[in-house]
Amino acid sequence: MAEQKEESIMDKITEKFHHDDSSSSDSDDEKSSPSTVKSAVYRLFGREKPVHKVFGGGKPADVFLWRNKKISAGVLGGATAIWVLFELLEYHLLTLVCHCLILSLAILFLWSNATTFINKSPPRIPEVNIPEDVVESIALSLRFEINRAFAILRDVASGRDLRKFLAVIAGLWVLSIVGSCCNFLTLFYIVFVLLHTVPVLYEKYEVQVDSFAEKAMAELKKQYAVFDAKVLSKIPRGPLKDKKKV
């Protein structure tokens, strides 16, 4: 009987060891699972969605990421033609609109009068009306973006985040330098071309760009820590007084 008890105790101990080993191996597998490894990978600007979802996931994202090469090439070619027409040939917008209206009205007028000689009914000119819901949606979207920009500027000016303040000041300074080198149309065209080239290249070389951005951000944080220790920490600041309401 004593030997049977000892054997049962030993069996329980070995089963417990096997159970612990299996649970530890399961926990190791969970730690090294692709989802946890994927979440630990650095992403540019801290994004969690694919590039296509970041751009909205609709037709604009398909155009920017060249899902349909014909449409993307047509949009980029049209923007290039407009830039060449207005910037290089120095054509004016009002002149272009007037010339297009003159040409279209002359063609329709001559076509309508020519039908009396060829015994055909004149072409029916369609009625063009701008839908009210489209105008309202555009106005609401524009209002939302303007209010968000005002909220960001107010948050920056409140003095709560020095790093954000310095980043906004540096961005505006760079934008002012770029604006002094080219006019608004050229700047708009440059941004348009960048939107059609940078996202698709980033999506293609995502891993390499993210690894380089991780190293760059680590270096920037290191330099900011040095700047904070040598300069920002030595700036005198007044004591903060808590105002209590009686």
Side-chain angles (χ1 to χ4, degrees):
M1 293 291 293
E3 291 179 356
Q4 291 179 356
K5 288 182 179 180
E6 289 179 357
E7 289 179 356
S8 62
I9 293 172
M10 291 298 295
D11 291 337
K12 290 181 180 180
I13 293 173
T14 53
E15 288 179 359
K16 182 175 179 57
F17 280 132
H18 284 304
H19 178 70
D20 293 338
D21 292 337
S22 61
S23 62
S24 62
S25 62
D26 292 338
S27 62
D28 292 337
D29 292 337
E30 290 178 356
K31 290 181 181 179
S32 61
S33 61
S35 60
T36 55
V37 172
K38 187 176 180 180
S39 62
V41 175
Y42 178 84
R43 297 298 182 190
L44 192 62
F45 302 118
R47 65 176 182 85
E48 297 178 356
K49 300 178 181 179
V51 182
H52 192 267
K53 292 292 183 182
V54 172
F55 280 92
K59 292 183 179 180
D62 293 339
V63 173
F64 290 136
L65 296 176
W66 293 76
R67 294 290 191 267
N68 192 331
K69 295 183 179 180
K70 292 182 179 179
I71 297 177
S72 300
V75 171
L76 187 59
T80 304
I82 292 174
W83 179 76
V84 170
L85 189 65
F86 289 111
E87 187 65 24
L88 298 183
L89 301 180
E90 296 181 355
Y91 214 64
H92 298 285
L93 179 61
L94 184 60
T95 305
L96 178 64
V97 172
C98 292
H99 287 175
C100 291
L101 288 175
I102 290 171
L103 183 61
S104 59
L105 288 174
I107 291 174
L108 291 174
F109 181 80
L110 293 174
W111 192 3
S112 299
N113 287 306
T115 54
T116 58
F117 299 100
I118 58 178
N119 296 323
K120 287 186 178 181
S121 60
R124 184 179 178 182
I125 301 174
E127 295 182 1
V128 179
N129 294 317
I130 300 176
E132 184 179 357
D133 55 348
V134 175
V135 177
E136 289 180 354
S137 63
I138 293 174
L140 289 175
S141 300
L142 186 62
R143 172 179 170 272
F144 175 76
E145 294 298 333
I146 292 174
N147 288 335
R148 188 172 68 171
F150 283 149
I152 292 174
L153 292 176
R154 182 177 178 273
D155 186 35
V156 170
S158 63
R160 299 174 184 175
D161 193 348
L162 181 60
R163 184 181 299 179
K164 186 184 293 185
F165 171 76
L166 294 176
V168 171
I169 293 298
L172 291 175
W173 180 67
V174 172
L175 188 61
S176 66
I177 294 176
V178 174
S180 63
C181 298
C182 58
N183 56 15
F184 179 75
L185 181 61
T186 303
L187 181 61
F188 181 79
Y189 176 69
I190 291 172
V191 173
F192 193 81
V193 172
L194 290 176
L195 285 175
H196 278 78
T197 53
V198 174
V200 66
L201 291 176
Y202 171 69
E203 189 181 34
K204 187 176 181 180
Y205 303 102
E206 182 178 354
V207 178
Q208 294 85 345
V209 174
D210 285 340
S211 63
F212 177 78
E214 184 178 7
K215 296 177 183 177
M217 287 300 297
E219 186 65 25
L220 284 176
K221 289 180 180 179
K222 187 187 298 183
Q223 296 298 326
Y224 178 79
V226 174
F227 179 73
D228 188 15
K230 292 184 178 180
V231 179
L232 298 180
S233 61
K234 296 180 180 180
I235 297 176
R237 298 179 182 178
L240 297 176
K241 296 180 180 180
D242 297 332
K243 295 182 180 181
K244 298 182 179 179
K245 295 182 180 180
V246 181

